[in-house]
Amino acid sequence: MGWDVSYHPISEEQIVERYFNVLNDKALITDLAITYNIKEFYAKKYEELIDIALVTTSEDVFDKTHGYYIAAVQGFFEKYFYVRGSAISFLEDDILSEYTKDWQEILPQEKLTDEIHNQIIDNYSSGKFIPPEKVMQLIDDYDTNEMLQEQMNTLFSDDRIGIFFKALFYAHEKGLGLLEATEIVEPNPMNLNSSVCYSNLFNCDPEGALLYRDAAMEQLSRIEKQEHLDPGTITDNTQYKVINNEPIEQQKKKGFLKRLFKK
């Protein structure tokens, strides 16, 4: 199972304005689309995503429903950043806990579901949230805390740490926090133009996907050399297939998801 992780700059106010207020009144999408210059195509996808969200119940897992949808919705408004296979949710000793904020601290009880994990627990899930006031603190502490630096460098190895910090600096410049999610975008490393996205793919910073593509092609080329195959024998004939399983909550909404777009 792979992890296509993305980081979405967002504020707590935007979470309410662009998601929960719209759940109460879908007509707000028209005004938001005009105010933030969202093209009609994406405004329609925004509306379809809200239709999915509206069938969420208190028995659903928050991270795999509202949390995930919030990240997807923000992708219609704001640039976001992709990292293959690495997420702060994956740090076992939770060294970043002092920099994150739980949903229970962000939202009133009536907007929450009964089960909340505040981290990535499955594909198609939201993860950790770094609030705006903690973004620059994390950047500063990385330079002075050797243990933090070592763990983050290990987690975001092979140049991925640069992309994570690119997301942090972007969020800081905008005065926003950073919400983690998985499978908002699913790049096809064999052909990035055929990548799958449940938000606006064009708002995704391309550096992480390009890094994933280069790593995948290098790995296949290495196999060709080991097997004494002509260059391109594997890379030119490899087919990419998304094999992530949709969570149970997502499967109930599969009809809606099929209507979502690939670009």
Side-chain angles (χ1 to χ4, degrees):
M1 180 182 292
W3 298 99
D4 290 309
V5 181
S6 51
Y7 288 93
H8 301 260
I10 190 171
S11 69
E12 295 174 33
E13 293 77 15
Q14 289 171 347
I15 289 170
V16 175
E17 175 200 32
R18 300 172 180 182
Y19 183 73
F20 286 104
N21 286 352
V22 176
L23 283 183
N24 294 329
D25 183 5
K26 283 204 310 179
L28 292 174
I29 292 176
T30 300
D31 293 337
L32 287 168
I34 293 171
T35 301
Y36 295 100
N37 196 29
I38 299 175
K39 294 181 179 180
E40 182 179 356
F41 177 81
Y42 295 106
K44 178 63 176 176
K45 300 306 168 186
Y46 186 0
E47 182 177 352
E48 290 180 356
L49 189 55
I50 293 299
D51 285 337
I52 299 171
L54 283 170
V55 302
T56 301
T57 72
S58 62
E59 297 178 354
D60 288 321
V61 178
F62 187 95
D63 317 82
K64 296 195 287 184
T65 51
H66 291 312
Y68 177 82
Y69 305 144
I70 288 166
V73 162
Q74 185 67 356
F76 297 123
F77 291 87
E78 189 66 72
K79 184 176 183 178
Y80 58 99
F81 301 82
Y82 169 83
V83 179
R84 172 68 178 180
S86 294
I88 57 176
S89 287
F90 300 162
L91 284 173
E92 293 183 1
D93 60 3
D94 207 15
I95 193 172
L96 293 179
S97 60
E98 66 176 285
Y99 306 100
T100 61
K101 192 172 185 178
D102 291 347
W103 289 112
Q104 293 92 331
E105 302 175 82
I106 298 170
L107 298 167
Q109 182 63 40
E110 62 267 20
K111 296 188 185 301
L112 303 173
T113 64
D114 296 339
E115 184 178 347
I116 308 172
H117 296 266
N118 292 298
Q119 65 179 18
I120 291 171
I121 57 169
D122 204 342
N123 296 116
Y124 308 96
S125 169
S126 63
K128 301 284 189 180
F129 175 69
I130 304 173
E133 65 271 17
K134 293 292 187 178
V135 168
M136 196 64 212
Q137 182 183 339
L138 176 56
I139 294 171
D140 290 339
D141 288 353
Y142 174 83
D143 289 331
T144 58
N145 186 326
E146 291 185 3
M147 181 178 295
L148 175 65
Q149 186 177 120
E150 181 181 352
Q151 291 208 24
M152 290 184 65
N153 286 347
T154 300
L155 178 66
F156 294 98
S157 60
D158 301 316
D159 298 325
R160 290 173 294 179
I161 189 68
I163 298 169
F164 179 66
F165 270 88
K166 189 176 184 180
L168 285 172
F169 276 110
Y170 182 92
H172 172 66
E173 290 170 2
K174 294 275 190 172
L176 302 173
L178 205 60
L179 176 61
E180 182 179 67
T182 181
E183 277 71 57
I184 295 293
V185 57
E186 298 170 322
N188 177 350
M190 303 301 119
N191 180 6
L192 292 178
N193 288 328
S194 64
S195 299
V196 174
C197 183
Y198 298 107
S199 186
N200 183 345
L201 182 60
F202 297 106
N203 278 345
C204 184
D205 183 86
E207 184 176 354
L210 292 171
L211 188 65
Y212 175 30
R213 179 199 64 186
D214 292 346
M217 297 303 287
E218 181 180 349
Q219 184 178 29
L220 292 175
S221 294
R222 188 162 55 245
I223 294 172
E224 288 175 343
K225 290 179 181 179
Q226 292 173 348
E227 299 297 326
H228 305 291
L229 299 173
D230 292 334
T233 301
I234 298 177
T235 56
D236 293 345
N237 294 282
T238 299
Q239 292 185 344
Y240 173 78
K241 183 178 181 181
V242 175
I243 59 173
N244 295 329
N245 294 319
E246 295 177 8
I248 295 174
E249 283 76 14
Q250 294 283 6
Q251 289 174 351
K252 293 192 298 185
K253 308 170 183 68
K254 198 166 186 179
F256 284 116
L257 286 173
K258 283 186 174 180
R259 297 211 309 269
L260 290 177
F261 51 99
K262 294 188 177 181
K263 286 190 179 181

